[in-house]
Amino acid sequence: CLALATLARPEGIGYAVALIAVAAVEDRRRAGRAAAVVALVFGGYFAWHWLHFGHPLPNTFYAKVGGGQAALWRGVVNVEEYLTSQLAWLPLAASLWLVVRRWRQGWVRLYAVVIAAAAGNVVLVGGHTFAFHRFMLPALAPMLVLGGTALRDLSEQLRARTPHAERWAAGAVAVLAVWMLVATVRVPIAFLSPQDLPPRSGVMRAAAFNDGYGRIGSWLRRTMPADAVVATNAAGIIPYESRLPTIDMLGLNDARIAHREMPMGRGAIGHEKHDADYVLERRPDVILLGLPRFTEGPLRTGAQLRNHVQVFFGSLPGDRKIFLDPRFRDQYAPRSVEVEPGKWLILFVRKDRLADLGQI
């Protein structure tokens, strides 16, 4: 399982090393066998990956991770947001109490290391941008098991002095369950970072964006010639549905942008890498600025266009540089197109390709 985990995500090797190391405290021979299996599976894959792509880590790692102390602090803030918003301080404290009492038990050490590895991963990569703290998911089950065991041990110790100790423990679990349920639909509580959107609302908004991306991609496939090149920040669903050559302006699918050296750690997570010069040098036929979204009607004035585009300049600095670049103004024309009845999209089309790009 650890060997397969190393193939799924780059932090898989970190989990493998941590768990094998703690297992070696109890049984070095067994840990050695596990390490050999992981090394055999991961070593071959790693060597092939490096030789094939020219870099040891996935392209998305270079696009998202970096920024030094600023990014590390952002990771700390992310962990605190998780612990506070989910009231996970309660099972974490109970887990720590149990770890101190039962450190000699192997399963306790393994569970504790998984929790520490998950938190350490979030800090090292500088946090993550999506709702529900997915990078902390590996820690959730171990933390709840350790916390539940700690409450059971504590209630047994207090039973002689407090007849209702088990009820107090059950009440603590009930409070945690209700809190975690309510936390999905209210604005999260956090000490180190202001929050303005409930997690469920964030997921629903992302779902609406994704639905729009699918419609946009399908429209591009129906409308554009097969050789048309699109540049977009939403380089997942749109290229998949459109089947068109696509420039990912955030670098997740572009090695040039992902490996560009630039300040990181203070912007929107996963949206910091950009290279306006490189994108414009590639001369894409269509540029979709921002996160493509529909309007209820065509944008007819320059003020409407600016207001629509500038919404994302704060989180997508590369878009601002493209929009203000004289080459962009000279070479591209804005177009409002009706993707579906009542759903209008603003895109920028290369002027010398207007005659070739179908219904635009």
Side-chain angles (χ1 to χ4, degrees), residues 258-301:
H259 287 266
R260 186 186 179 204
E261 294 293 332
M262 59 188 308
M264 293 180 65
R266 301 184 187 280
I269 301 171
H271 297 70
E272 295 176 282
K273 288 288 183 79
H274 60 272
D275 193 333
D277 288 334
Y278 165 71
V279 172
L280 292 175
E281 286 169 5
R282 292 277 305 270
R283 303 187 74 235
D285 299 296
V286 175
I287 297 179
L288 297 169
L289 291 180
L291 297 180
R293 65 200 194 283
F294 294 124
T295 60
E296 295 180 354
L299 303 182
R300 302 188 183 280
T301 68

Side-chain angles (χ1 to χ4, degrees), residues 45-354:
Y45 167 78
F46 182 77
W48 169 82
H49 181 280
W50 198 336
L51 290 172
H52 182 76
F53 292 105
H55 302 286
L57 295 171
N59 195 67
T60 47
F61 176 89
Y62 299 101
K64 293 185 177 184
V65 177
Q69 292 183 353
L72 292 174
W73 174 246
R74 190 169 64 187
V76 171
V77 170
N78 215 256
V79 172
E80 184 274 324
E81 179 190 327
Y82 166 75
L83 293 173
T84 304
S85 65
Q86 301 295 311
L87 201 62
W89 291 109
L90 178 61
L92 179 63
S95 298
L96 291 174
W97 180 82
L98 186 76
V99 168
V100 171
R101 293 188 70 248
R102 296 199 189 189
W103 177 251
R104 293 185 178 277
Q105 294 181 295
W107 74 273
V108 172
R109 291 195 298 267
L110 285 171
Y111 278 34
V113 166
V114 172
I115 296 170
N121 175 53
V122 174
V123 173
L124 289 175
V125 302
H128 51 89
T129 189
F130 295 109
F132 293 118
H133 306 276
R134 61 196 177 102
F135 284 1
M136 287 298 295
L137 186 59
L140 181 58
M143 188 161 55
L144 292 177
V145 171
L146 287 176
T149 306
L151 285 177
R152 184 192 64 188
D153 288 2
L154 186 60
S155 63
E156 289 177 353
Q157 286 188 8
L158 297 177
R159 187 179 301 165
R161 289 178 290 177
T162 307
H164 302 297
E166 290 182 350
R167 293 182 181 179
W168 283 105
V173 173
V175 168
L176 177 63
V178 172
W179 181 285
M180 295 178 77
L181 180 63
V182 174
T184 66
V185 295
R186 60 162 167 73
V187 176
I189 298 173
F191 297 118
L192 300 179
S193 60
Q195 305 295 314
D196 58 3
L197 190 68
R200 186 178 184 279
S201 298
V203 171
M204 298 303 292
R205 185 174 68 172
F209 270 110
N210 291 339
D211 178 70
Y213 296 159
R215 297 171 188 271
I216 292 168
S218 297
W219 178 84
L220 289 170
R221 182 168 55 181
R222 296 192 307 268
T223 306
M224 298 287 176
D227 63 343
V229 178
V230 178
T232 179
N233 296 300
I237 296 173
I238 290 177
Y240 181 83
E241 292 291 345
S242 71
R243 303 293 195 267
L244 297 176
T246 303
I247 301 171
D248 180 357
M249 297 195 294
L250 294 179
L252 276 70
N253 302 321
D254 190 288
R256 165 75 176 269
I257 296 175
H259 287 266
R260 186 186 179 204
E261 294 293 332
M262 59 188 308
M264 293 180 65
R266 301 184 187 280
I269 301 171
H271 297 70
E272 295 176 282
K273 288 288 183 79
H274 60 272
D275 193 333
D277 288 334
Y278 165 71
V279 172
L280 292 175
E281 286 169 5
R282 292 277 305 270
R283 303 187 74 235
D285 299 296
V286 175
I287 297 179
L288 297 169
L289 291 180
L291 297 180
R293 65 200 194 283
F294 294 124
T295 60
E296 295 180 354
L299 303 182
R300 302 188 183 280
T301 68
Q304 289 178 327
L305 178 66
R306 284 193 301 273
N307 292 336
H308 181 80
V309 172
Q310 289 174 355
V311 169
F312 293 103
F313 281 179
S315 56
L316 297 169
D319 282 25
R320 183 177 185 274
K321 291 184 178 181
I322 290 175
F323 189 73
L324 298 178
D325 193 298
R327 292 171 294 177
F328 179 72
R329 301 292 181 90
D330 293 338
Q331 298 173 12
Y332 289 85
R335 288 290 184 270
S336 279
V337 296
E338 193 171 20
V339 174
E340 293 179 0
K343 295 183 181 295
W344 292 77
L345 174 70
I346 182 69
L347 43 77
F348 296 86
V349 184
R350 218 173 74 204
K351 294 177 181 178
D352 59 358
R353 289 297 308 272
L354 281 171

